[in-house]
Amino acid sequence: MPSNRTFTMIKPDAVGAGNTGAITKMIEEAGFKIIAMKLTRLSRERAGQFYAVHRERPFYGELCEYMSSGPIVPMILEKDNAVEDFRTLIGATNPQEAAEGTIRKLFAESISANAIHGSDSDENARIEGSFFFSQTEQY
Ligand code: UDP
Ligand code: MG
């Protein structure tokens, strides 16, 4: 995935609360183009693979349970400076610390059920996009 792309996933709390449309609208209005998108689910095992980098952290088990608890909406997005600008759009991991107007401030329930994922580097955007979408170079 080129460096003008990032990967995101609307998490089960936000999909379950019916906020998929509102969040997608914010993403598009912020200038991101949707390159790939689907509604799907993660098994407990696949959630564990996606968050494997956190496997030693105390919240890992709860995070994997939560991320496999309902549908999610993964997307590949395109924009100049995509990774950094998207992290700004979503806000801090803990919604109580997220800036006003960010997606997490508006929609997150808690530090775990925090509405949305955003890749933290170009390399991870590529890896995470490939986790959900095959042959991403086609998109
Ligand atoms: N998380 C959690 N408790 C914490 C920190 C993180 O449940 O104390 C969850 C939360 O859903 C977060 C995900 O683990 O989005 C990945 O954590 P990371 O530190 O990578 O935050 P992010 O990059 O998503 O802001
Ligand atoms: Mg992260």
Side-chain angles (χ1 to χ4, degrees):
M1 197 153 27
S3 62
N4 60 343
R5 289 188 178 180
T6 191
F7 170 80
T8 185
M9 161 170 67
I10 305 177
K11 296 185 179 184
D13 59 298
V15 176
N19 291 325
T20 303
I23 290 172
T24 304
K25 186 163 190 269
M26 279 186 71
I27 291 170
E28 290 187 308
E29 286 180 349
F32 292 87
K33 182 177 171 199
I34 299 170
I35 300 297
M37 177 182 192
K38 64 184 169 186
L39 182 84
T40 185
R41 293 181 77 116
L42 284 170
S43 66
R44 175 73 170 69
E45 189 185 1
R46 288 255 303 158
Q49 288 167 8
F50 186 87
Y51 282 112
V53 65
H54 294 305
R55 65 185 169 276
E56 307 301 337
R57 309 275 291 275
F59 58 82
Y60 179 67
E62 187 192 331
L63 176 62
C64 295
E65 286 300 320
Y66 159 64
M67 286 303 302
S68 56
S69 67
I72 56 163
V73 178
M75 300 181 214
I76 294 171
L77 303 173
E78 195 168 88
K79 183 186 179 296
D80 287 347
N81 203 35
V83 166
E84 191 184 345
D85 286 1
F86 195 75
R87 294 289 302 197
T88 302
L89 179 67
I90 69 177
T93 308
N94 184 347
Q96 292 183 344
E97 293 165 9
E100 291 298 331
T102 59
I103 292 174
R104 282 170 166 167
K105 181 70 175 186
L106 288 165
F107 297 107
E109 292 176 3
S110 67
I111 191 169
S112 174
N114 60 359
I116 193 159
H117 171 84
S119 301
D120 62 7
S121 67
D122 289 346
E123 188 191 0
N124 282 336
R126 199 160 37 242
I127 292 167
E128 291 168 0
S130 305
F131 190 88
F132 286 96
F133 300 99
S134 57
Q135 298 173 299
T136 46
E137 68 279 2
Q138 283 183 13
Y139 289 101

